[in-house]
Amino acid sequence: MESENLNHYLLLFHLLEYWDREWRKNMTDTWIRFEACDTNDPDTLVGLNYQGSLPPPSQRAKNPSQRFSFDPKQIVDSSITNLCFFDSYGEFLEVDVRELDRFRGEVTVAWNANAENSGVRPENIKTLTSYSWFPPRNKREALLKFADNFLENPESDTVAFSLFRRETPALSIDLKDKKFQPNLDHLKKTTSSLNNSYLAIQGPPGTGKTWAGARIIHHLITVEKKRVGITAQSWSAIENLLEATVKVFEKEINENLDSEVKPLKAALRKSKPKDKDPIEGVTYSTNDKGTLFADFDLVASTTWFWAHEDFNEENKFDYLVIDEAGQLALVDALVSANGARNLLLLGDPQQLSQVTQASHPCRAGVSVFEHILNDEDTIENDRGVLLDKTFRLRPEICEFISDQFYEEKLTYDTTCEKRKLVKGQNGLLWHPVAHEQDCVNQSEEEATVVAEIISELLGSEWTAINQESSTPSEESKKLLVDDFMVVAPYNAQVRMIQTKLLTSDIDGIDEDTVKGMVGTVDKFQGREAPVVIYSLTTSRQELAPKGRKDDFLFSPNRLNVAVSRAQCLTYIVGTEELISTRASSISEMKALNHFCRYVDDLSKKIQA
């Protein structure tokens, strides 16, 4: 058997194990968190005090709620959506979070029928821990179908097989042609020429991945008369691309009032939101009545829908667009291909990567975009397209990001040179801070420096660039609270910085503003701000929390995202001892090199 074919069969074998491995690791970690009752664990609420039952929030939500209080000094991840406790049989029982206020120390959970029948009284619950396992359900059957088909006919001409085998996309256009440019017209033409294949578009920071994706979808529906689907790892990513696409259609209608423009028929397979406005013009429905939304031009849903067993060659969508493909598992992309003839992958594994709990042999645990890149930093020009021009980053920031993460292929639009802070520095700044005592996951000294930087810069002038019009224009503005983004590797430091800002008497700072401006890297993926401040927090390498040194503190992906949120200025705040860490492995050396390059070669140093 040829080595390439052997690798395919090994990968397929381990893909079949993917969800079982994830489930076992998830259950083990949940047990450990629950038993530890660690007040410094952001995923666990301990010392709960029962505050009583609340009626259902609406007629649609039939389950009552149970409210608990906890010590607001606890470090809590405010993004938790699911919690669990042990029932009387020793099994985990999941409840949805309806409200979580970590500043007041209050959490409200939906008390579903399983909780009511669990044999556990809510007043006896003292600990709740996060529960993030979502069973594959019908995706498992879709994967088995894929495996059967591959074993029967491994050379079959389908998009799923093409993706699995890492074949070059089947196109009528030569991507290696030097005349090919990654502009919108070429991207539309290239995507339209797919034939049971896939196209990957890698979008580094500020290159307009979502902007381009929305316009490609518009072209496929209006010009090519195709039906298009949208999926991603998270609902927020799905809705973000759907909303951007709807706005393209709205703009076309507004600009062509005298002509008959066919309105978009779009559906989101989800209930209407209660906490925000729905996307105008989109049908919200969880019941497709067995038609798989056959009457719609554009349908957005999670991977479970696209793995539906009723999809066949007659009712498949023409295209499925996978957004944030650098965060979607390869196995999820393969089963999602069940619902479409062609795939368009939008993403960038050099930014936030896929989150897996378990280890997976033979690269079975990589994201679909990592599978295509095959350990390269940028996509090969015969397999996809690199969007190589950023419209966000000043030249100094772009130089660092391009050199360290994109093989020096990322350039900047000339308008980025005009975006600047009128008073003070622009580009990259390093602000060393001395810690009086060793800090692990929170540093008051660094929180104080963050508050001082914001206080000093707040209200100063900066030059913004309006790139919405056909001719970008300069606009003089004053830095507001919303123009700052503060990033930290740990929730404990996020809380520390928020508290410091609230007690620093800075105009415009309140509980709502600090919630929006301070967070971990995950919170700010896809966002931008004139000024970004990155607090490294830990005093020395050996103090980094177990398992967090590589994944959080020295992660190249997280450094890339943190620095590249900035339009004008990035501060990194930390100790000289941390940056002077000696690497103990090749991977650690590579990760540390990014920080050394920032501090020693490119940034300007603020005297401590």
Side-chain angles (χ1 to χ4, degrees):
M1 182 180 294
E2 296 182 7
S3 59
E4 185 176 6
N5 290 336
L6 177 59
N7 290 335
H8 289 158
Y9 287 114
L10 286 172
L11 174 58
L12 180 59
F13 174 80
H14 291 296
L15 285 173
L16 291 169
E17 289 187 320
Y18 179 86
W19 290 301
D20 289 334
R21 284 176 173 266
E22 287 293 300
W23 177 81
R24 287 195 295 268
K25 185 64 167 63
N26 187 279
M27 291 298 101
T28 300
D29 290 348
T30 304
W31 271 94
I32 292 173
R33 287 199 309 272
F34 198 94
E35 293 295 320
C37 291
D38 185 358
T39 57
N40 290 319
D41 178 4
D43 295 319
T44 306
L45 302 175
V46 303
L48 295 173
N49 294 305
Y50 181 58
Q51 300 297 311
S53 179
L54 299 174
S58 67
Q59 289 184 345
R60 294 187 64 183
K62 299 179 181 180
N63 299 321
S65 300
Q66 306 295 348
R67 175 166 289 179
F68 302 87
S69 64
F70 57 89
D71 186 349
K73 294 180 181 179
Q74 284 189 47
I75 306 303
V76 178
D77 183 355
S78 59
S79 65
I80 293 175
T81 58
N82 303 85
L83 291 165
C84 69
F85 60 91
F86 284 124
D87 64 16
S88 57
Y89 301 101
E91 300 289 338
F92 286 120
L93 200 150
E94 178 188 4
V95 289
D96 294 334
V97 175
R98 281 189 171 151
E99 184 178 355
L100 174 60
D101 191 324
R102 64 183 185 183
F103 289 96
R104 294 183 174 84
E106 294 179 347
V107 62
T108 302
V109 300
W111 203 245
N112 54 41
N114 289 335
E116 184 66 32
N117 299 324
S118 66
V120 178
R121 302 292 301 169
E123 54 266 30
N124 294 329
I125 293 177
K126 300 300 179 184
T127 302
L128 290 168
T129 191
S130 66
Y131 188 85
S132 57
W133 171 248
F134 296 96
R137 299 194 300 271
N138 64 307
K139 290 195 291 189
R140 190 182 296 276
E141 284 67 35
L143 181 61
L144 291 173
K145 176 183 175 183
F146 169 87
D148 286 341
N149 291 339
F150 186 82
L151 293 174
E152 181 178 343
N153 186 8
E155 303 302 323
S156 179
D157 183 22
T158 69
V159 61
F161 286 8
S162 175
L163 181 63
F164 176 74
R165 295 187 298 248
R166 287 192 68 250
E167 295 176 347
T168 54
L171 297 164
S172 59
I173 294 175
D174 184 3
L175 291 174
K176 292 193 291 185
D177 188 341
K178 293 183 179 179
K179 296 180 180 179
F180 179 88
Q181 297 294 324
N183 59 44
L184 185 58
D185 287 339
H186 281 85
L187 293 175
K188 289 177 180 177
K189 187 176 180 181
T190 306
T191 308
S192 301
S193 71
L194 285 173
N195 181 23
N196 289 326
S197 191
Y198 69 92
L199 178 70
I201 299 178
Q202 184 178 2
T207 54
K209 170 179 64 66
T210 301
W211 182 92
R215 283 154 180 80
I216 292 171
I217 294 172
H218 175 269
H219 173 80
L220 291 173
I221 293 173
T222 58
V223 177
E224 305 295 336
K225 309 301 179 185
K226 304 297 185 182
R227 295 177 65 227
V228 181
I230 292 175
T231 195
Q233 176 68 16
S234 66
W235 275 115
S236 60
I238 291 171
E239 293 174 31
N240 181 56
L241 181 55
L242 175 61
E243 186 168 17
T245 304
V246 169
K247 288 180 179 178
V248 175
F249 277 85
E250 290 176 350
K251 182 179 179 181
E252 182 193 36
I253 292 174
N254 293 333
E255 292 177 351
N256 298 275
L257 294 177
D258 296 333
S259 62
E260 293 185 5
V261 177
K262 181 183 176 182
L264 173 67
K265 293 190 67 177
L268 181 62
R269 197 170 184 271
K270 187 180 182 183
S271 300
K272 275 194 176 181
K274 304 181 183 66
D275 55 347
K276 62 180 180 180
D277 293 332
I279 303 173
E280 189 173 349
V282 172
T283 299
Y284 287 75
S285 175
T286 58
N287 182 12
D288 53 38
K289 298 179 181 178
T291 65
L292 299 173
F293 295 98
D295 296 331
F296 288 85
D297 309 309
L298 179 63
V299 176
S301 187
T302 58
T303 53
W304 282 272
F305 172 73
W306 299 106
H308 201 292
E309 62 181 2
D310 287 346
F311 277 117
N312 54 50
E313 289 305 314
E314 285 69 39
N315 62 16
K316 282 185 177 183
F317 280 62
D318 298 297
Y319 288 83
L320 176 61
V321 181
I322 300 179
D323 198 13
E324 301 296 357
Q327 299 179 46
L328 187 79
L330 170 62
V331 66
D332 285 322
L334 291 175
V335 298
S336 296
N338 180 66
R341 298 183 180 87
N342 300 285
L343 295 179
L344 177 62
L345 310 177
L346 306 175
D348 181 20
Q350 294 296 87
Q351 297 184 63
L352 290 186
S353 56
Q354 184 206 356
V355 177
T356 55
Q357 305 271 354
S359 61
H360 299 274
C362 299
R363 296 177 57 84
V366 301
S367 72
V368 60
F369 219 118
E370 288 175 302
H371 174 71
I372 297 168
L373 284 183
N374 198 30
D375 290 331
E376 298 294 331
D377 290 342
T378 59
I379 193 161
E380 299 171 55
N381 59 4
D382 63 342
R383 295 185 185 278
V385 179
L386 173 71
L387 303 180
D388 59 2
K389 182 181 288 187
T390 180
F391 296 86
R392 174 193 302 162
L393 308 176
R394 273 193 57 82
E396 307 92 332
I397 304 174
C398 180
E399 178 187 351
F400 172 72
I401 296 298
S402 179
D403 176 63
Q404 295 296 298
F405 305 106
Y406 299 102
E407 302 171 345
E408 300 183 344
K409 295 178 180 178
L410 181 63
T411 61
Y412 57 88
D413 187 72
T414 55
T415 58
C416 294
E417 297 174 332
K418 302 175 183 179
R419 184 184 287 117
K420 62 182 179 179
L421 301 184
V422 177
K423 172 187 175 182
Q425 307 280 4
N426 290 283
L428 309 173
L429 293 182
W430 161 240
H431 197 309
V433 177
H435 292 175
E436 292 185 9
Q437 296 180 335
D438 285 343
C439 299
V440 177
N441 60 0
Q442 56 183 351
S443 165
E444 186 172 2
E445 291 92 347
E446 292 188 22
T448 299
V449 168
V450 170
E452 290 173 350
I453 292 171
I454 293 175
S455 180
E456 179 183 350
L457 292 178
L458 192 65
S460 60
E461 290 188 7
W462 73 290
T463 303
I465 305 297
N466 179 11
Q467 293 174 323
E468 294 297 324
S469 61
S470 56
T471 55
S473 58
E474 299 179 37
E475 184 179 355
S476 180
K477 294 184 176 182
K478 290 188 180 296
L479 283 176
L480 306 176
V481 170
D482 292 340
D483 293 323
F484 293 86
M485 189 179 291
V486 184
V487 185
Y490 314 111
N491 283 286
Q493 182 66 354
V494 169
R495 178 64 174 271
M496 174 69 75
I497 293 171
Q498 290 175 334
T499 301
K500 182 62 67 174
L501 289 173
L502 287 171
T503 57
S504 296
D505 296 324
I506 301 175
D507 290 342
I509 294 287
D510 55 31
E511 287 190 6
D512 288 334
T513 56
V514 297
K515 287 179 182 178
M517 68 188 294
V518 187
T520 59
V521 168
D522 310 74
K523 178 176 182 176
F524 298 121
Q525 171 83 359
R527 293 172 56 183
E528 61 186 16
V531 181
V532 171
I533 309 170
Y534 188 17
S535 169
L536 298 180
T537 308
T538 306
S539 299
R540 302 188 312 279
Q541 177 211 33
E542 60 266 26
L543 297 173
K546 185 178 180 181
R548 299 291 178 95
K549 180 177 67 176
D550 296 328
D551 292 341
F552 287 84
L553 197 53
F554 293 137
S555 164
N557 298 67
R558 289 174 177 268
L559 176 64
N560 181 16
V561 175
V563 173
S564 65
R565 300 308 92 195
Q567 298 169 307
C568 300
L569 172 61
T570 296
Y571 277 91
I572 291 186
V573 177
T575 66
E576 296 276 13
E577 292 86 350
L578 182 64
I579 295 300
S580 301
T581 292
R582 297 187 65 177
S584 58
S585 66
I586 297 297
S587 61
E588 199 171 283
M589 185 182 299
K590 291 180 178 178
L592 284 168
N593 181 66
H594 299 306
F595 285 91
C596 293
R597 175 74 168 145
Y598 182 104
V599 172
D600 296 333
D601 299 342
L602 294 176
S603 68
K604 297 176 182 179
K605 183 175 180 179
I606 302 298
Q607 297 300 320

